[in-house]
Amino acid sequence: MRTIILAAAAAACLVGCGADEADSGAGDAFASRYTPMPSEPTLITGATVLTGTGELLEDADVLMVDGLIAAVGQGLSHDGAIVIDGTGKWVTPGVIDVHSHLGVYPSPGTESHSDGNEISSPVTAEVWAEHSVWPHDPGFTTALAGGVTSMQILPGSANLMGGRGVTLRNVPGRSVMEMKFPDAPHGFKMACGENPKRVYGGRGQAPSTRMGNVAGYREAWIRAADYRDQLAAAENGEGSPPTRDLELETLAGVLNGEILVHNHCYRGDEMAIMLEIADEFGYEIAAFHHAVEAYKIADLLAESGTCAAMWADWWGFKMEAYDGIRENAAIVEQAGACAIIHSDSAIGIQRLNQEAAKVMGAAARVGIDIPPEVAIQWITRNAAQSLGIDEQTGTLEDGKMADVVLWNGDPFSVYTRAEQVWIDGALAYDLNDPSVNPITDFSLGTTAAIGGAQ
Amino acid sequence: MRKLIALFLFFAVTAQAETIAIVGGTVHTVGPDGTIENATVVIDNGRITAVGSNVSAPNGATVIDAAGKIVTPGIFSPEGNLGLVEVGFSAGPLDYVQTGNQFTASFDIADAFNPASTLIGVNRIEGVTRALIVPSTGFSEDMSSHVISGMAAVVNLSGDDDSIDRRGAALVVHLGERSVGLAGASRVSSLLVLRNALDEAIDYRVNGDAYQRGQHRDYAFSVSDLEALQPVLNGSVPMLVSVHRRSDIVGLIALTEEYGVRAIISGGAEAWMVADELAAANIPVLVHPSANLPSNFDRLNANAEAPAILANAGVTIAFADEETHNARNLTQSAGNATVVGMSWNDALRAITLSPAEIYGVAERLGSIEVGKQGDVVIWPGDPLELGIYPEAVLINGESVEMQSRQTLLRDRYLDPASTTPPAYRN
């Protein structure tokens, strides 16, 4: 994965950008304007620490300095640090949700707020989810109370190719630029199965079948490859570059490895077909989302290095979700593939730890041991990997962003809540001190404002 | 042959009723006896005949060793579509959705109940033994139906052909923002539909005979609807009303007083703001405990702490999971309610005895008490904790097969090293 991201940084400039390694063709436009909130050195002592690297440390300390993890271990100290007694509590990396529609399908869910699906053509690679994000969605705040420090906001799944996703820090901003995760690659939303064929088939246009879906992807990639080749040729002095095309710019960014594919896909047989398409056109799929049947093709996922981002137990609400089982993520993990628990829900995002816990218990019944130090990776490290931000966050390692959650107990117990949440070392949420907590403009004058995030 | 036997076990989930003794567990009776350590529960011919720490297993009883286990009543899902749906979306007609305008109160959802639904098996092995099934739910925003959707029924999840426990358990009504679009552009219209129905039912009670003789004006509602409304008018059947905004809830309280009818609130995002008034009016609330966002303007003051506020004010509450397929997650809802101030015992009650009380079946369901039907679940640990799933489930005193379509799928794909094609792994 790391090699892909490095390749992405190099490839970006092939597309004639210049300034920013993650701009994917837009120059400085829409670049992150996020600045971390002021932080003070903070030391949590004597906690049970899940590092996100696969370790559980008993009676351990976590030190945050200048917005970064300065040290994890025992007997730590730091002059002037705020010291928090973590005895009996647990510390984990900040939770990361790879599949959210906060801001693009915000609360209240009025028609005028419905900005997540550009349902005007089956291929809308030219749209960017970030241009729909409403920063005042109260759902950002409630997600923060669940320990979520970063998330990917995706377009919906009405289209074969729905557009670019954006990775955000879970911080209040006046604009999406003030929330954007610095230098994070863009995601690219694709969708298999029922949704595109229902939306467009219902209008009497393509695609109206799954085979129509596949033809639609392949046609788009053929045009993208041509565009990419023309650009590359022009770089080598052969011919002039094509007129800039927002749709093909995004698709070429995927082919160059600079934009990461996040593919809504439920059925095992369809995921297998999508892997073939990726091979045919030379791109990689960072993650299948929903992946309700990932357990049927876990070996293929391991082989291709593709993550599966799953719910714990959603099933049956549509035909392609009929074969959902509680053990899905555990079977994927056991096969050595990259398992992620995602939400796709403004409610689910508040309890990703609980979703993971339900899988752990189900797995135990059939002899698959998923210890806490593994399960935490489903909502931290592995999520960061699929978003291409695992160099910066997702684990508690020296030098990483100090995105940290202090839980008032085992995070995989229903009785536990996130007690404090730090983003880049700044205290962003405090269960016991509502004055710390953000209140969106929309929530002013409502109950949410009484206690801050609930 | 092996396949045939498996199928037989899968569908014939109940055996001949017998005497069962569940021995040595910690029994949360949810009744007057509270929690009893090292207790024995005896079930004979489908009914509980003894509960206590000094009870011994009768001779010849089938003994289930529950030492070190937790024993609770079966979970009661208070609102959903179990047995009425397999796949919710783009997969054929849904029996809980009525399009057209033919029927209101006489639309009896029990007639559509399918005890063999795959959802029944999935949910019962996780402890759900009873459910209220409804014609349209308050949370299925996209389903067209009626302001007065019809009659709900209490069912059990045994899979037996005769698993309807009570028809006409509640009249399902939608008011507030949910009803806009059902009756016109305004919530005034939906209130008028309800008032007209009740007014005509009152008139019919008095003048029904004259109407039958052709000596009374026509009614807007059909005779079958007006007949079905009579038990609502006399208070023997409550209305289950989906409503969220405080002002609509206040209006509903006034309407119940005006007509002398009973109501249960489904959802009630802002119900906690009038908790004392609801307690005084004896109106229970089916709380959606995770719904803490202002998902529309009726729910601006949605509050995660609502379960505790309502319960502490003396309102009878039950938890309604918003998704029928996962009614099994009610234990998680209850667990989450404990962290916002509800007691563990109250939370367990809200998914067992309280729904039975709300639907008038508590004399035979909802708790582990002598004389009640034998719905009992045996858990390896705290039933409200995540990842704790039942080891045994009894419905009407009969053990259910701990298998579902999902466990069969799981078992087929458990061995990643298998080279046998999945369709041959049985």
Side-chain angles (χ1 to χ4, degrees):
Chain A
M1 200 61 199
R2 188 166 304 163
T3 50
I4 297 171
I5 296 157
L6 291 176
C13 289
L14 272 184
V15 196
C17 46
D20 187 313
E21 64 269 39
D23 64 7
S24 311
D28 281 335
F30 318 114
S32 171
R33 293 174 181 273
Y34 164 70
T35 46
M37 291 191 296
S39 62
E40 296 179 67
T42 304
L43 176 64
I44 306 170
T45 61
T48 302
V49 177
L50 298 174
T51 59
T53 60
E55 283 185 284
L56 182 152
L57 308 175
E58 301 277 11
D59 191 21
D61 308 338
V62 175
L63 176 63
M64 301 175 252
V65 178
D66 294 334
L68 302 174
I69 303 290
V72 179
Q74 287 184 317
L76 302 181
S77 64
H78 185 86
D79 278 352
I82 297 170
V83 178
I84 294 167
D85 181 3
T87 308
K89 300 175 182 177
W90 292 52
V91 177
T92 71
V95 176
I96 300 170
D97 189 3
V98 299
H99 194 119
S100 173
H101 300 296
L102 290 177
V104 301
Y105 283 118
S107 301
T110 60
E111 191 181 341
S112 35
H113 265 162
S114 176
D115 288 320
N117 268 311
E118 180 56 44
I119 313 182
S120 49
S121 168
V123 176
T124 57
E126 67 275 14
V127 305
W128 297 20
E130 63 207 73
H131 299 148
S132 279
V133 169
W134 183 49
H136 305 291
D137 183 350
F140 288 118
T141 312
T142 46
L144 180 62
V148 174
T149 55
S150 298
M151 75 202 91
Q152 177 173 234
I153 309 301
L154 288 165
S157 52
N159 297 346
L160 299 173
M161 295 171 158
R164 294 195 196 193
V166 63
T167 298
L168 302 180
R169 308 293 279 150
N170 192 9
V171 293
R174 292 169 302 166
S175 72
V176 74
M177 280 70 73
E178 294 179 351
M179 304 171 77
K180 282 181 76 170
F181 195 115
D183 299 332
H186 273 114
F188 182 58
K189 177 68 177 286
M190 294 178 65
C192 296
E194 292 185 21
N195 290 5
K197 83 186 189 87
R198 182 186 65 251
V199 168
Y200 293 97
R203 299 175 182 181
Q205 74 181 86
S208 66
T209 59
R210 283 183 163 82
M211 58 187 172
N213 287 353
V214 171
Y217 312 125
R218 297 174 80 203
E219 278 171 3
W221 292 128
I222 289 166
R223 287 187 291 119
D226 193 39
Y227 183 80
R228 173 200 57 191
D229 293 346
Q230 285 182 50
L231 275 177
E235 286 282 316
N236 292 331
E238 300 163 22
S240 53
T243 304
R244 192 174 166 210
D245 181 304
L246 285 178
E247 180 203 17
L248 297 175
E249 190 167 273
T250 292
L251 293 176
V254 171
L255 294 179
N256 287 330
E258 164 193 4
I259 296 174
L260 306 179
V261 172
H262 290 269
N263 195 156
H264 158 120
C265 210
Y266 285 74
R267 280 187 357 201
D269 57 307
E270 285 191 278
M271 287 187 265
I273 285 175
M274 296 313 290
L275 289 171
E276 295 291 326
I277 297 169
D279 270 352
E280 181 183 6
F281 292 97
Y283 66 91
E284 304 208 18
I285 300 170
F288 286 116
H289 288 226
H290 311 337
V292 159
E293 294 185 5
Y295 67 96
K296 297 186 183 181
I297 54 147
D299 56 328
L300 297 184
L301 297 173
E303 187 186 309
S304 65
T306 297
C307 298
M310 297 157 279
W311 295 293
D313 52 20
W314 289 21
W315 74 285
F317 49 93
K318 57 198 329 202
M319 199 68 223
E320 59 197 5
Y322 192 50
D323 283 4
I325 63 171
R326 278 203 192 277
E327 296 80 1
N328 193 18
I331 293 174
V332 169
E333 174 74 40
Q334 193 187 33
C338 160
I340 298 168
I341 298 288
H342 72 357
S343 80
D344 192 18
S345 156
I347 300 298
I349 194 174
Q350 301 177 36
R351 295 186 183 83
L352 285 169
N353 53 314
Q354 295 195 1
E355 296 305 295
K358 287 189 284 185
V359 179
M360 295 163 76
R365 286 188 305 185
V366 289
I368 304 176
D369 180 36
I370 305 289
E373 57 269 29
V374 171
I376 197 66
Q377 295 182 302
W378 296 350
I379 57 175
T380 58
R381 200 209 77 89
N382 295 358
Q385 175 188 318
S386 83
L387 299 179
I389 54 172
D390 52 327
E391 295 286 287
Q392 296 99 316
T393 189
T395 59
L396 302 178
E397 292 177 280
D398 296 1
K400 286 205 175 175
M401 291 169 156
D403 296 346
V404 177
V405 183
L406 176 68
W407 306 85
N408 61 12
D410 176 352
F412 302 110
S413 165
V414 78
Y415 303 115
T416 296
R417 301 178 82 181
E419 192 167 283
Q420 291 182 303
V421 182
W422 291 266
I423 298 177
D424 280 314
L427 184 62
Y429 172 79
D430 190 332
L431 176 66
N432 300 314
D433 183 2
S435 71
V436 168
N437 302 335
I439 299 165
T440 64
D441 288 358
F442 182 78
S443 292
L444 288 171
T446 72
T447 306
I450 296 171
Q454 305 189 21
Chain B
M1 193 58 199
R2 216 168 112 239
K3 233 176 197 170
L4 268 179
I5 293 166
L7 269 179
F8 177 77
L9 288 175
F10 192 48
F11 291 109
V13 289
T14 56
Q16 189 64 38
E18 55 182 344
T19 303
I20 292 173
I22 301 162
V23 177
T26 298
V27 179
H28 297 281
T29 66
V30 198
D33 290 340
T35 299
I36 312 172
E37 302 289 344
N38 193 17
T40 295
V41 179
V42 180
I43 304 170
D44 187 33
N45 202 23
R47 291 200 179 258
I48 297 166
T49 54
V51 185
S53 54
N54 50 4
V55 170
S56 51
N59 282 337
T62 302
V63 172
I64 300 174
D65 180 9
K69 314 288 184 190
I70 305 290
V71 180
T72 70
I75 308 303
F76 193 134
S77 164
E79 185 183 14
N81 302 123
L82 283 170
L84 305 173
V85 58
E86 294 299 321
V87 170
F89 201 55
S90 291
L94 298 169
D95 286 318
Y96 53 89
V97 177
Q98 195 197 164
T99 53
N101 280 305
Q102 302 96 319
F103 308 105
T104 62
S106 62
F107 186 88
D108 184 352
I109 200 61
D111 292 331
F113 180 66
N114 173 20
S117 161
T118 52
L119 283 75
I120 300 279
V122 167
N123 283 287
R124 91 178 144 217
I125 66 170
E126 295 198 11
V128 182
T129 62
R130 306 276 161 171
L132 184 88
I133 60 167
V134 297
S136 85
T137 54
F139 37 80
S140 54
E141 310 276 354
D142 53 344
M143 299 297 180
S144 64
S145 191
H146 297 284
V147 172
I148 301 172
S149 290
M151 285 294 178
V154 175
V155 300
N156 66 65
L157 277 68
S158 66
D160 292 348
D161 289 335
D162 59 347
S163 46
I164 294 167
D165 296 313
R166 186 177 177 197
R167 283 175 181 265
L171 177 72
V172 175
V173 176
H174 301 293
L175 297 178
E177 187 161 328
R178 159 77 174 118
S179 68
V180 171
L182 301 183
S186 164
R187 69 193 71 212
V188 176
S189 310
S190 42
L191 261 177
L192 279 173
V193 170
L194 178 59
R195 285 181 169 280
N196 286 347
L198 294 173
D199 289 340
E200 287 202 344
I202 291 168
D203 188 279
Y204 181 80
R205 184 174 60 198
V206 178
N207 298 311
D209 290 344
Y211 175 80
Q212 299 288 1
R213 292 192 303 270
Q215 294 171 348
H216 189 276
R217 68 170 172 88
D218 276 349
Y219 293 108
F221 289 83
S222 72
V223 168
S224 59
D225 286 335
L226 298 177
E227 301 255 4
L229 283 165
Q230 297 306 315
V232 176
L233 284 177
N234 70 26
S236 59
V237 170
M239 301 190 298
L240 174 57
V241 185
S242 62
V243 62
H244 289 284
R245 200 173 73 183
R246 176 180 182 156
S247 68
D248 292 332
I249 293 169
V250 169
L252 175 65
I253 295 172
L255 185 138
T256 59
E257 286 164 0
E258 179 184 344
Y259 284 93
V261 296
R262 291 196 294 134
I264 302 155
I265 289 174
S266 166
E270 295 190 347
W272 64 274
M273 304 174 94
V274 287
D276 291 337
E277 292 86 340
L278 289 169
N282 198 21
I283 296 179
V285 181
L286 310 185
V287 182
H288 301 164
S290 65
N292 62 341
L293 283 166
S295 55
N296 60 39
F297 280 95
D298 276 14
R299 309 184 204 191
L300 266 188
N301 295 298
N303 184 350
E305 294 173 9
I309 295 168
L310 288 163
N312 294 339
V315 178
T316 302
I317 70 165
F319 298 126
D321 195 291
E322 299 215 5
E323 219 282 301
T324 293
H325 288 77
N326 280 334
R328 56 188 177 170
N329 285 340
L330 284 169
T331 50
Q332 183 186 7
S333 298
N336 276 312
T338 66
V339 302
V340 294
M342 201 170 177
S343 76
W344 191 94
N345 286 328
D346 282 352
L348 179 63
R349 192 185 203 283
I351 56 174
T352 55
L353 185 57
S354 292
E357 287 176 350
I358 288 169
Y359 299 119
V361 290
E363 78 284 354
R364 53 195 169 102
L365 295 170
S367 57
I368 299 178
E369 292 180 69
V370 171
K372 290 202 178 185
Q373 284 167 246
D375 284 14
V376 178
V377 185
I378 301 165
W379 311 78
D382 179 351
L384 306 190
E385 184 56 284
L386 303 161
I388 299 293
Y389 304 107
E391 292 183 350
V393 178
L394 289 87
I395 300 178
N396 289 329
E398 294 170 2
S399 294
V400 308
E401 184 78 8
M402 296 300 280
Q403 187 181 71
S404 71
R405 187 170 176 280
Q406 292 192 358
T407 64
L408 293 171
L409 273 167
R410 173 197 68 197
D411 294 345
R412 170 170 275 188
Y413 287 94
L414 260 186
D415 178 10
S418 174
T419 53
T420 308
Y424 286 98
R425 298 177 200 159
N426 290 313

